[in-house]
Amino acid sequence: ITQLKAQDQFKETIIRQAKLVSEAAMNDDYESLIRYTHPNLVEKVGGEEAFIKLIETTMKSMKSGGLTIESVEVQDSIVISKYNDEYHCLVPKVIVISINETKIISKSYLFGFSDLKGEHWTFAEADKLQSKSGKFFFPEFQTNIQIPPQPLPMIINFKN
């Protein structure tokens, strides 16, 4: 019963905050990006200024390479679970990127962390949490939520 109560209680907040962090880099909204990115990620790259510089460099590099993020859609089929003294959640999202006459539609997951109040969530890309680099950012990471493998992107070429 507590799992279901948590689902209802936090779902709206999670969706709103996941949208903010997902769209923040696209919109140069670095305040939201910092606020809703898990602090381990910000600290391990050297703090807020270094983190913002990394994001700016990444976005410029994508744009100069012809990549455009067209949309990020946070989906509402969220999994929420209590783990020790915090809540965790898994939030599916779909990103549409275009490059030249090609669209890449990619599904991935945000992994969210919150204290037991569930009012403020911070996120990390779920697939990165279990990777080698994930161990650097989250050496003690454990959860009771199963993180699915990231599906292969769908590639649509509009050139005939």
Side-chain angles (χ1 to χ4, degrees), residues 101-102 156-160:
E101 283 125 25
T102 303
I156 304 167
N157 195 328
F158 292 104
K159 194 173 184 179
N160 291 331

Side-chain angles (χ1 to χ4, degrees), residues 79-81 83 86-90 111-113 121 142-143 145:
V79 176
I80 303 168
S81 185
Y83 187 79
E86 63 183 4
Y87 278 105
H88 292 167
C89 70
L90 192 66
F111 193 91
F113 302 82
W121 292 79
Q142 292 184 328
T143 187
I145 294 177

Side-chain angles (χ1 to χ4, degrees), residues 69-120:
I69 299 173
E70 288 190 10
S71 66
V72 180
E73 177 198 339
V74 172
Q75 300 181 320
D76 64 2
S77 53
I78 296 169
V79 176
I80 303 168
S81 185
K82 184 174 182 278
Y83 187 79
N84 294 334
D85 59 349
E86 63 183 4
Y87 278 105
H88 292 167
C89 70
L90 192 66
V91 183
K93 65 178 182 168
V94 176
I95 302 169
V96 179
I97 296 172
S98 64
I99 180 165
N100 303 324
E101 283 125 25
T102 303
K103 275 197 194 313
I104 301 164
I105 302 167
S106 178
K107 182 174 183 173
S108 62
Y109 298 89
L110 285 174
F111 193 91
F113 302 82
S114 181
D115 64 17
L116 292 179
K117 291 180 186 163
E119 294 167 3
H120 179 77

Side-chain angles (χ1 to χ4, degrees), residues 47-72:
E48 289 185 12
E49 279 184 44
F51 186 76
I52 290 169
K53 194 155 200 71
L54 175 67
I55 299 301
E56 284 176 333
T57 304
T58 303
M59 295 304 284
K60 280 180 189 159
S61 165
M62 284 175 58
K63 285 176 186 162
S64 69
L67 258 89
T68 307
I69 299 173
E70 288 190 10
S71 66
V72 180

